Amino acid sequence: MSIAIIDPACPALISEHPAQVPPTAAVIFGATGDLTHRKIVPAFYHLAKNGLLPDDFAIIGFARRPKSDDEFRKDLGDALRQFSHTKPVDEEVWKKLSSHIYYFQGELDDPEAYKRLAEKLKTLPESAKIGENYLFYLATSPEYFGQAAQNLAAAGLASKADGTRRRLIVEKPFGSDLKSAQELNRTLQAAFAEKDIFRIDHYLGKETVQNLIYFRFANSIYEPLWNHLYIDHVQITVAEQVGVESRGGYYEHAGAARDMLQNHLFQLFTLTAMEAPASLDAESIRDEKVKVLRSIPTPSLSFLQKNVVRAQYGGGYINNKPIPSYRQEEKVAHDSLTETFVAARFEIDNWRWHGVPFYLRTGKALATQFTEINIVFKRPPSVLFAASSEDRLRRNTLRIRIQPNEGISIKFNAKVPGKAESEAVDMAFLYRSGFDHYLPEAYERLIVDALIGESTLFTRSDEVEQAWRLVDSIKSAWAQQGARDLPLYACGSMGPVESDQLLEKDGRFWIRPKEMAS
Ligand SMILES: NC(=O)c1ccc[n+]([C@@H]2O[C@H](COP(=O)([O-])OP(=O)(O)OC[C@H]3O[C@@H](n4cnc5c(N)ncnc54)[C@H](OP(=O)(O)O)[C@@H]3O)[C@@H](O)[C@H]2O)c1
């Protein structure tokens, strides 16, 4: 490992000021868990491989089960070889990084464990250079988030006024409704300064999501059209092909609205709809995102009945593989009313977007896995081509694909060669062929940002609360409806017919996934 200045190209950073990752001890709570193995440790490995970690860096894994440092390193090495997005793993880099990894056995609800942790942090071989600069990563079940922050504070490990860096990364979900999110915000803010709290939404770590800011504000061709005068409507889809698999226990209490709409979909929504920020600093960008949410009045019950669709998968086949119905999944009630699909129509009550619907949808066990934003422009007048066009001219559509095959394409009307007819064609940019740069995984970018104290790609407390305000109103409307209006959809479809009708009644349709294949 070597000390490095973060090159704006690798990973591509929005931050205006390149910064050095300081010598730090990163403590991962939940270190024997799935997220640590799949995402967090592979992210640290890639940061080390790209020269972004300093020599004086240590990782301490905190969990309950007994383990030696060597056993822990071996487990993480095995997981890295399985989950790394670049293969083969550079064993030299891993050997060096893993020599700075330690295991600490403790219970999250035991204040004494944090005191022992504080002692351990002072006696690491790297401690002399690290001083007391710590990053705590709460990769645990959410019920422990508040308690862990309180225990860190009681052990003298939380934010300090002396310039020592004490930072806290908090995984999702952040609360389960507005009230619990407010309580959690209060608890975390009693221990850590807001600038030191990094609430993860890994969608914000994706390069293509960050590119939305460049695409909109670093070009002059689209921003003048980015309003109600030219845009007919916007569609945002986060479609998952997998069902709930082993996560039924968690999902029963979450559902699609809490699990996906409150965070990932609203992040894409606000970045698409926000005004230009005064600068690229964290507060300016987050101020604009929050303004979007604040410009959506809390929907009434009758609005929700007309504009929000929920549904549950009822079994079927995906890629010829049988998928059970949601109610037959492990740890799911046989009469569960939890939605695995949600589609909603929102309007932003401001000058830019007056009268422009934003249709958001997400679901599990769908036909295909993709995340995409479609900006659909108003239909051009067809009078010139009326004689030759069987139908009216197609609307121009700007498609921003977040995953997979990240890229941007524009659909426009062109003349069919040899005929006096028009046909809609695609002009496409694919991220991977447009740049030969290394494309970092979301967690790499987010961890490095937390290490340097850059908050832009993390969710601020008021943003989380505004998103919960909207999701709470939806959930409480559904609670009042009980079992009414919970249609089933076939696995491998794109959701219930009610979702199509949501757009059809406005004379629109969902852009079909098969049109989006690269
Ligand atoms: N997995 C993912 O892909 C994913 C994606 C997005 C967000 N997340 C979020 O990340 C967090 C962790 O998820 P996960 O899937 O990694 O969970 P997990 O596999 O169940 O791991 C939980 C971890 O917490 C530890 N733990 C549990 N109770 C403890 C206690 N009382 N004291 C000390 N350690 C304790 C467990 O270790 P021991 O059993 O050894 O104690 C284990 O290391 C959750 O908030 C989840 O929502 C996960």
Side-chain angles (χ1 to χ4, degrees), residues 8-163:
C10 181
L13 295 180
I14 294 176
S15 50
E16 291 169 306
H17 312 290
Q20 237 173 19
V21 173
T24 305
V27 181
I28 306 170
F29 293 94
T32 55
D34 186 62
L35 187 70
T36 303
H37 287 82
R38 277 177 192 273
K39 297 289 181 190
I40 300 175
V41 168
F44 275 117
Y45 157 79
H46 283 97
L47 295 179
K49 188 166 163 22
N50 289 320
L52 294 171
L53 295 184
D55 280 333
D56 297 294
F57 194 86
I59 297 174
I60 296 91
F62 183 116
R64 272 174 312 191
R65 66 195 78 173
K67 230 178 241 299
S68 68
D69 288 343
D70 282 342
E71 284 167 336
F72 185 50
R73 291 168 185 160
K74 179 174 179 313
D75 289 350
L76 297 183
D78 292 346
L80 177 65
R81 284 172 210 103
Q82 187 182 352
F83 297 119
S84 170
H85 71 103
T86 61
K87 293 210 172 88
V89 165
D90 185 330
E91 294 295 340
E92 276 307 300
V93 171
W94 172 243
K95 197 170 155 200
K96 196 164 178 186
L97 177 65
S98 63
S99 70
H100 296 272
I101 297 181
Y102 308 92
Y103 186 72
F104 182 90
Q105 189 187 359
E107 295 268 352
L108 282 159
D109 52 6
D110 173 14
E112 291 306 312
Y114 297 75
K115 291 183 186 149
R116 285 191 288 114
L117 176 68
E119 287 310 308
K120 171 145 183 134
L121 286 168
K122 285 187 197 144
T123 55
L124 295 170
E126 299 83 356
S127 294
K129 290 275 176 46
I130 287 174
E132 293 190 20
N133 293 326
Y134 305 139
L135 173 73
F136 301 105
Y137 194 136
L138 299 182
T140 67
S141 157
E143 75 204 68
Y144 291 114
F145 292 166
Q147 201 174 25
Q150 283 169 334
N151 284 335
L152 284 167
L157 290 170
S159 286
K160 278 187 163 182
D162 63 1

Side-chain angles (χ1 to χ4, degrees), residues 155-197:
L157 290 170
S159 286
K160 278 187 163 182
D162 63 1
T164 312
R165 297 180 182 92
R166 301 287 175 83
R167 291 174 178 144
L168 185 74
I169 299 183
V170 189
E171 261 301 329
K172 74 162 236 196
F174 195 91
S176 54
D177 55 16
L178 176 59
K179 188 165 171 281
S180 58
Q182 283 171 330
E183 268 168 31
L184 184 55
N185 274 330
R186 273 194 294 274
T187 307
L188 298 188
Q189 286 164 346
F192 288 83
E194 175 63 24
K195 70 173 179 40
D196 294 328
I197 302 172

Side-chain angles (χ1 to χ4, degrees), residues 4 6 14 23 35 42 50 69 95-96 116 233 255-256 260 263-264 277 295 362 364 371 398 405 471 481 501:
I6 294 172
I14 294 176
L35 187 70
N50 289 320
D69 288 343
K95 197 170 155 200
K96 196 164 178 186
R116 285 191 288 114
H233 72 280
M260 301 295 277
N263 39 68
H264 307 325
S295 304
T362 183
K364 288 195 172 291
T371 298
L398 175 72
N405 303 321
V471 168
Q481 280 170 265
Q501 288 165 350

Side-chain angles (χ1 to χ4, degrees), residues 102-391:
Y102 308 92
Y103 186 72
F104 182 90
Q105 189 187 359
E107 295 268 352
L108 282 159
D109 52 6
D110 173 14
E112 291 306 312
Y114 297 75
K115 291 183 186 149
R116 285 191 288 114
L117 176 68
E119 287 310 308
K120 171 145 183 134
L121 286 168
K122 285 187 197 144
T123 55
L124 295 170
E126 299 83 356
S127 294
K129 290 275 176 46
I130 287 174
E132 293 190 20
N133 293 326
Y134 305 139
L135 173 73
F136 301 105
Y137 194 136
L138 299 182
T140 67
S141 157
E143 75 204 68
Y144 291 114
F145 292 166
Q147 201 174 25
Q150 283 169 334
N151 284 335
L152 284 167
L157 290 170
S159 286
K160 278 187 163 182
D162 63 1
T164 312
R165 297 180 182 92
R166 301 287 175 83
R167 291 174 178 144
L168 185 74
I169 299 183
V170 189
E171 261 301 329
K172 74 162 236 196
F174 195 91
S176 54
D177 55 16
L178 176 59
K179 188 165 171 281
S180 58
Q182 283 171 330
E183 268 168 31
L184 184 55
N185 274 330
R186 273 194 294 274
T187 307
L188 298 188
Q189 286 164 346
F192 288 83
E194 175 63 24
K195 70 173 179 40
D196 294 328
I197 302 172
F198 297 82
R199 297 172 192 81
I200 287 237
D201 184 322
H202 75 269
Y203 259 62
L204 287 174
K206 290 179 186 292
E207 286 292 324
T208 30
V209 174
Q210 294 156 38
N211 188 45
L212 267 171
I213 292 178
Y214 280 78
F215 183 78
R216 288 192 55 196
F217 303 122
N219 295 295
S220 53
I221 50 176
Y222 285 110
E223 198 50 28
L225 310 180
W226 212 261
N227 58 55
H228 67 103
L229 295 176
Y230 297 97
I231 292 179
D232 179 75
H233 72 280
V234 177
Q235 300 183 11
I236 306 179
T237 300
V238 178
E240 294 186 287
Q241 215 178 22
V242 291
V244 290
E245 299 181 322
S246 58
R247 294 174 67 226
Y250 156 72
Y251 202 82
E252 268 291 82
H253 302 288
R258 289 185 175 131
D259 191 45
M260 301 295 277
L261 181 67
Q262 189 273 343
N263 39 68
H264 307 325
L265 271 159
F266 278 170
Q267 287 300 333
L268 298 179
F269 181 19
T270 53
L271 283 166
T272 304
M274 73 181 194
E275 297 298 319
S279 82
L280 291 180
D281 68 40
E283 296 318 318
S284 303
I285 291 179
R286 298 191 300 182
D287 284 348
E288 296 306 332
K289 285 165 65 196
V290 175
K291 270 198 240 166
V292 173
L293 296 173
R294 290 169 62 107
S295 304
I296 303 173
T298 305
S300 66
L301 186 59
S302 66
F303 176 92
L304 292 169
Q305 278 162 350
K306 282 189 229 125
N307 293 289
V308 184
V309 169
R310 61 174 171 158
Q312 197 183 70
Y313 61 85
Y317 287 83
I318 297 180
N319 297 332
N320 297 325
K321 204 176 135 221
I323 309 283
S325 71
Y326 175 69
R327 289 174 187 172
Q328 290 169 329
E329 298 275 19
E330 232 177 274
K331 299 187 189 151
V332 170
H334 69 279
D335 55 353
S336 170
L337 296 181
T338 301
E339 79 288 354
T340 61
F341 180 97
V342 58
R345 177 190 192 278
F346 289 104
E347 283 193 25
I348 303 167
D349 199 8
N350 67 14
W351 285 96
R352 183 191 282 262
W353 294 116
H354 183 70
V356 178
F358 282 70
Y359 300 97
L360 276 53
R361 70 175 164 171
T362 183
K364 288 195 172 291
L366 297 180
T368 180
Q369 179 106 5
F370 69 96
T371 298
E372 196 159 271
I373 302 168
N374 280 280
I375 315 288
V376 184
F377 288 86
K378 293 201 165 164
R379 201 186 291 282
S382 300
V383 64
L384 290 181
F385 307 99
S388 57
S389 302
E390 277 180 28
D391 198 355

